[in-house]
Amino acid sequence: MFEKVVVANRGAAAARIIRALNGMGVKSVAVYSEADESAPYLAEASEAHAIGGAAPAESYLNQDAILDVVKETNADGLHPGYGFLAENSDFAARVEAAECRFIGPAAQWLEAMGHKTRARDMMKEYGMPMGSSSSVLKDDDEALAAASDIGYPVLIKPAGGGGGIGMLPARDDEQLVKMLERARSMAERSFGTAEVYLERLLEQPRHIEFQMVADEHGNVRHLFERDCSVQRRHQKVIEEAPAPALAREVVVDLADSAASILTKMGYNNIGTVETLYDGNGGFNFLEMNTRLQVEHGVTEEVTGIDIVATQVRSSFGQPLSEILPDDVEISGHSIQARVYAEDPIKFFPSPGPLEVFRPPSGDGIRVDTGFAEGGTVTPYYDPMIAKVIVRGDDRQDAIDKLREALDEFMIEGIKTNIPFIQATLQNEAFVSGAVHTGLAEDVVATLKK
Amino acid sequence: MAEERVRSEMTGKVWKIVTKVGDKVSDGDEIMILESMKMEIPVMVDTDGTIKEFLVGEGDEVTEDQEIAILET
């Protein structure tokens, strides 16, 4: 097994990975920016190294500073977590060149799946179902022509990245031209390329994604699906496994075919195949994330598989047959709520001091966080301050547990989206399992009343 | 002529001012874009008017409820 692994991330991701490494008897090296120097998880790592200023470009995106830590500590592995450099193929190649294993798929996969239209073309070739979309758009005329082929409404998406950033809908030509400019500027700023493309905008689809697990010996399996339909600003808020109110064979069929596609392609680590499920048209491939996913915990809770440890073992070269049991089944139901530091109605960020921060605990309740009471939520990073993950015997039991857990979660000093989550958990459509990506707007409408 | 003060609805940083002093704006127009926690939040005016003055510049930190621009209405 690895001797020593650098954890090139922060917050809940760093805390989770450090805990997994500790559990495997692997030495963990934490890194931190000036803004995170008193983060509670640093003490749990075998060692911790400062890598620069608070702004991500100076620290968590600072490849040179992180590579210096790799060399200084003689680490033989680096776990990138999610976000930051997790899907940066240049960084992965530099880590490997420093004789340190990048814990994730080979750099070629980060590159192949990182460019969204190329990834769609490739997956389509292998038979993955998907809706109509355009190639990268050269100019407004090309966009107008593509929109008329696809049919309104359309969604403008950045080709260089995902995570729900920079996606804008357009319902007619005039709106399309106006939104394109904005979308290009956001794409340029977030992903370093102004390339955008169009996809057909599905009305009220469900976001269903598949947890894939692969090794370096040509084996690919899946750990079933997650439903992540409750989103605000195209970012997930509530995730669950299994997906409610959907025939098992429909889900398992797609999971099996995704595994067979990735086997043919030669994919070699964990990853997530994201789709939009449209009641009439079935599954539509969205993108593939070549990394650990924020919501991996719900899959862990219903399958009993430690996904981080699986990823580390696979990266070390162990075959899946030695890592996973022969049969993996789903037992019970798990739901995760992402607690964000933000206004619960407007979703505006709300950084500030955590005067009180007391996460809930108890049977079937798990809280992944990188914060502790007395800490500060700074404006430099994303607003997620904790993931509250519950496991119940069935979905209703899980919903009840999550309501109680969030009731118990004491946070003072900043605004959080807990009132929004609680309202969602009482929303009739949510409770019945009739979830869709527009549900958050319906919930906000009831909160405003 | 009446004046209307535009306030920031969140704590963050001024990323881009997309209008200039003297510009005529209408209800719902974006006058500047703030950023915080990896999000860009446009500041929109809720009345028609002319921009008289900006009280912040690009790159400045702003807090929730801080006055950031003055409109002549």
Side-chain angles (χ1 to χ4, degrees), chain A residues 395-411:
Chain A
R395 188 165 186 265
Q396 189 55 51
D397 186 33
I399 291 174
D400 293 342
K401 267 194 183 133
L402 186 54
R403 278 186 193 159
E404 280 168 38
L406 290 169
D407 256 349
E408 272 174 41
F409 203 160
M410 306 267 293
I411 304 174

Side-chain angles (χ1 to χ4, degrees), chain A residues 232 235 339-342 349-350 377 381-386, chain B residues 37-39:
Chain A
R232 61 101 182 87
Q235 283 176 334
V339 178
Y340 288 122
E342 68 185 14
S350 174
V377 183
Y381 314 112
D382 90 35
M384 193 181 75
I385 53 171
Chain B
M37 298 179 138
K38 288 168 57 184
M39 272 180 270

Side-chain angles (χ1 to χ4, degrees), chain A residues 88-345:
Chain A
N88 186 312
S89 56
D90 292 338
F91 178 65
R94 288 184 73 189
V95 171
E96 294 275 331
E99 287 175 18
C100 175
R101 177 42 60 98
F102 179 85
I103 298 176
Q108 71 181 90
W109 293 114
L110 306 185
E111 172 90 32
M113 294 300 178
H115 193 280
K116 301 306 170 191
T117 57
R118 285 205 290 270
R120 286 177 72 84
D121 290 345
M122 183 166 58
M123 292 297 265
K124 195 173 184 176
E125 213 173 286
Y126 280 94
M128 189 75 192
M130 64 185 73
S132 50
S133 62
S134 76
S135 342
V136 170
L137 304 164
K138 288 196 192 72
D139 51 38
D140 289 0
D141 287 342
E142 220 177 86
L144 290 166
S148 108
D149 283 348
I150 295 168
Y152 286 104
V154 294
L155 191 62
I156 311 169
K157 298 181 75 171
I165 296 163
M167 307 201 311
L168 294 170
R171 295 188 179 274
D172 54 44
D173 285 356
E174 192 192 341
Q175 213 178 21
L176 178 64
V177 172
K178 195 175 163 195
M179 290 300 180
L180 271 172
E181 196 190 336
R182 178 105 185 272
R184 287 199 180 99
S185 131
M186 283 162 83
E188 169 85 56
R189 224 163 86 77
S190 302
F191 306 112
T193 162
E195 290 184 342
V196 296
Y197 70 102
L198 301 184
E199 262 177 38
R200 167 97 187 162
L201 177 71
L202 299 174
E203 303 283 3
Q204 304 205 327
R206 293 173 64 168
H207 176 113
I208 294 177
E209 60 183 33
F210 298 85
Q211 177 65 57
M212 311 309 296
V213 190
D215 64 17
E216 298 185 347
H217 309 278
N219 305 299
V220 184
R221 289 174 60 180
H222 68 78
L223 298 177
F224 304 100
E225 84 288 10
R226 292 182 286 261
D227 186 305
C228 315
S229 297
V230 180
Q231 310 184 351
R232 61 101 182 87
R233 292 182 191 282
H234 299 296
Q235 283 176 334
K236 299 160 189 165
V237 184
I238 296 175
E239 295 112 329
E240 58 186 305
L246 205 57
R248 290 311 298 159
E249 64 267 24
V250 172
V251 176
V252 172
D253 268 2
L254 196 85
D256 286 341
S257 66
S260 104
I261 289 171
L262 293 184
T263 307
K264 282 182 207 141
M265 287 168 50
Y267 191 73
N268 69 344
N269 202 262
I270 69 164
T272 297
V273 171
E274 296 195 332
T275 72
L276 286 181
Y277 181 80
D278 168 4
N280 308 316
F283 293 98
N284 295 274
F285 174 74
L286 259 186
E287 62 182 37
M288 177 162 182
N289 294 326
T290 50
R291 55 167 167 82
L292 182 68
Q293 201 94 338
V294 179
E295 58 275 24
H296 69 279
V298 293
T299 300
E300 294 183 325
E301 293 302 316
V302 294
T303 60
I305 305 292
D306 182 329
I307 293 176
V308 180
T310 299
Q311 182 185 22
V312 172
R313 292 204 169 100
S314 162
S315 288
F316 192 71
Q318 287 184 6
L320 284 189
S321 56
E322 284 176 21
I323 305 174
L324 298 178
D326 291 342
D327 288 308
V328 177
E329 280 172 16
I330 291 180
S331 154
H333 196 97
S334 178
I335 311 181
Q336 163 175 294
R338 298 191 192 189
V339 178
Y340 288 122
E342 68 185 14
D343 182 283
I345 294 177

